Amino acid sequence: MSREVLASGPPERRFRARPELGAALAALAVLLVFAVAADGFLRPASIGTVLYAASTIGIMAVPVSLLMIGGEFDLSAGVLVTTAALTSSMVSYQLTAVTWVGVLVSLAVALAVGWVNGRLLARTGLPSFIVTLGTFLMLTGANLGVTKLVSGTVSTKPIADMEGFASCRWLFASELTVGGMSVKATVWWWLGLVAVGSWVLLRTRYGNWVFAVGGDAAAARAVGVPVARVKTGLYLGVGFCAWVLGQHLLFSFDTVQSGEGVGNELIYIVAAVIGGCLITGGYGSVLGGALGALIFGMVSKGIVYAQWNPDWFKFFLGAMLLLAALLNSWVKRRAERGGR
C-alpha cells in the first residue's frame, strides 16, 4: 500500500488506515495499566528508564521497519550491533590509536555487511531469510573467534583510558537531565532517526519506491524502480543504525562481550510488527516501529515496577505479536476496501 493510498479519501478513513493506529492504542493501554498498577511508574526517573529501554530497541526498529515495508527482513541485525562494538574496541586497542579511528573503521565494517546483504539478495534472488541467516551465523562465529584470537578471552580489553574515549562517550552514551529525568544519548539518536526515517518514507521518491518494492517488486521493476538499489539502501540503513547502537554499547560499558546480541533481531522485528508493519511488505510506518519499541520499553520496565512475575514477559510479547499481526492485516484490508 503506497503513501498515496494512505493519504487518499476523507480524514476519518485516512485516520483508520494509518499503520501505527493499533500500536498507538496499545501503547496508551499499556501506559494506563502500569500507571495504575505500578507505584512511581510516571515519575521522571522511571520515565527516563523506560525511554532508555525503548530507545535501545527503537534505534534498530527504524531500519527494520523500513526493511519490512520494502518486503525484506534481517536476521543478522542483532549480532551486527555486537560486531560494530567489537570492531571499534579491538581496532582502537590493537592499533593503540585514538578511539575515533576504531569508530570510523567500525562504521565501514557495518556498512559493508549491510551492502553485502543487499547485493547478495539482489544478485542471487535468494530469500532474505536465507541470506541474512547465513550472515547471522558467520557474524556470530566471527565475533567469538576473532575476539578470542585477538584478546585471548570472550570480551574486549578496556579502552577507557585511550584518547578520544570521552568525546565518543559524549556522542554515544552521555546523559542529559531534563526536569529531573535522565535522558540517555540513545533517546536523542532514536528520535532523530525516527524523524529522518519518516521523512524519507513519506516525503521522498525513495520512500515511494520502498512501498512499491514491498508491494510488488516485479511490478515496481517494470515501471522503472531500481529494486536492487532500493533494497541495498535499506540494508545499508540497518548497518548504520547497528553501528550507532554498537558504539553506545561499547562506550557505555568500556568492554564488550562477544556473545551479546543473539536473539535481539527478533525483538526488532516484533517491535516493527507491533508498530504496523506486515511481513508481506508494502505496508507500515517508521512511527509505528517507534511505538512498538516504546511498548517494549514500558512492558519490560513496568513489570519490574509493578513487581509482577517477569517470567510472563515473553508470553506477553508473543501475544502482542500475534494480535498486532491480525490487527495490521485487518486494517490493511479495510483501507484497501475503502473502509467498508
Side-chain angles (χ1 to χ4, degrees):
M1 181 182 296
S2 70
R3 65 188 182 200
E4 284 80 7
V5 173
L6 291 174
S8 63
E12 182 182 356
R13 176 190 168 191
R14 294 201 304 269
F15 176 74
R16 291 200 307 266
R18 293 304 310 170
E20 63 273 8
L21 175 60
L25 295 176
L28 179 60
V30 170
L31 175 64
L32 292 175
V33 167
F34 286 115
V36 173
D39 292 336
F41 184 74
L42 296 181
R43 292 174 183 169
S46 301
I47 294 174
T49 302
V50 168
L51 287 177
Y52 174 61
S55 68
T56 58
I57 302 301
I59 286 174
M60 290 304 295
V62 170
V64 169
S65 295
L66 288 169
L67 194 60
M68 290 180 65
I69 295 169
E72 307 294 346
F73 58 99
D74 191 347
L75 293 179
S76 66
V79 291
L80 182 55
V81 172
T82 306
T83 300
L86 291 170
T87 301
S88 189
S89 179
M90 287 189 287
V91 168
S92 297
Y93 186 87
Q94 296 301 319
L95 297 182
T96 62
V98 295
T99 55
W100 282 105
V101 173
V103 167
L104 294 177
V105 171
S106 174
L107 174 60
V109 169
L111 291 177
V113 172
W115 183 84
V116 168
N117 277 338
R119 295 306 298 170
L120 279 176
L121 190 72
R123 289 296 183 90
T124 65
L126 290 172
S128 56
F129 174 85
I130 298 298
V131 172
T132 60
L133 177 61
T135 308
F136 163 81
L137 293 172
M138 288 189 293
L139 289 179
T140 302
N143 287 350
L144 178 60
V146 173
T147 303
K148 291 183 71 173
L149 180 65
V150 173
S151 302
T153 65
V154 296
S155 63
T156 60
K157 302 293 186 182
I159 60 170
D161 59 346
M162 295 187 64
E163 183 180 350
F165 184 90
S167 57
C168 289
R169 188 184 183 95
W170 175 85
L171 181 60
F172 295 108
S174 58
E175 296 182 29
L176 177 65
T177 301
V178 180
M181 177 175 62
S182 178
V183 182
K184 301 272 191 177
T186 49
V187 175
W188 304 114
W189 277 101
W190 178 35
L191 295 176
L193 288 167
V194 169
V196 172
S198 296
W199 175 77
V200 169
L201 187 65
L202 301 176
R203 293 289 183 267
T204 69
R205 183 174 61 173
Y206 182 84
N208 210 32
W209 286 350
V210 172
F211 278 114
V213 168
D216 190 334
R221 187 178 292 107
V223 297
V225 175
V227 174
R229 282 168 45 200
V230 169
K231 293 190 176 185
T232 300
L234 293 174
Y235 278 103
L236 286 171
V238 174
F240 176 79
C241 292
W243 169 75
V244 171
L245 193 55
Q247 304 319 294
H248 169 73
L249 179 66
L250 171 61
F251 292 106
S252 291
F253 304 106
D254 186 21
T255 62
V256 182
Q257 296 290 324
S258 58
E260 294 184 24
V262 176
N264 286 350
E265 64 283 342
L266 298 180
I267 296 176
Y268 307 148
I269 293 172
V270 168
V273 173
I274 291 175
C277 297
L278 294 180
I279 294 291
T280 52
Y283 186 81
S285 75
V286 172
L287 179 58
L291 289 170
L294 181 60
I295 291 171
F296 180 93
M298 287 193 292
V299 173
S300 63
K301 299 305 176 184
I303 286 177
V304 175
Y305 293 134
Q307 298 182 346
W308 293 351
N309 187 345
D311 295 341
W312 291 92
F313 173 62
K314 288 190 176 180
F315 175 87
F316 175 83
L317 280 185
M320 283 289 296
L321 175 64
L322 292 176
L323 289 173
L326 292 171
L327 178 61
N328 296 342
S329 180
W330 177 76
V331 169
K332 183 183 179 184
R333 288 198 303 270
R334 279 183 57 86
E336 289 174 342
R337 294 197 305 263
R340 296 188 296 274

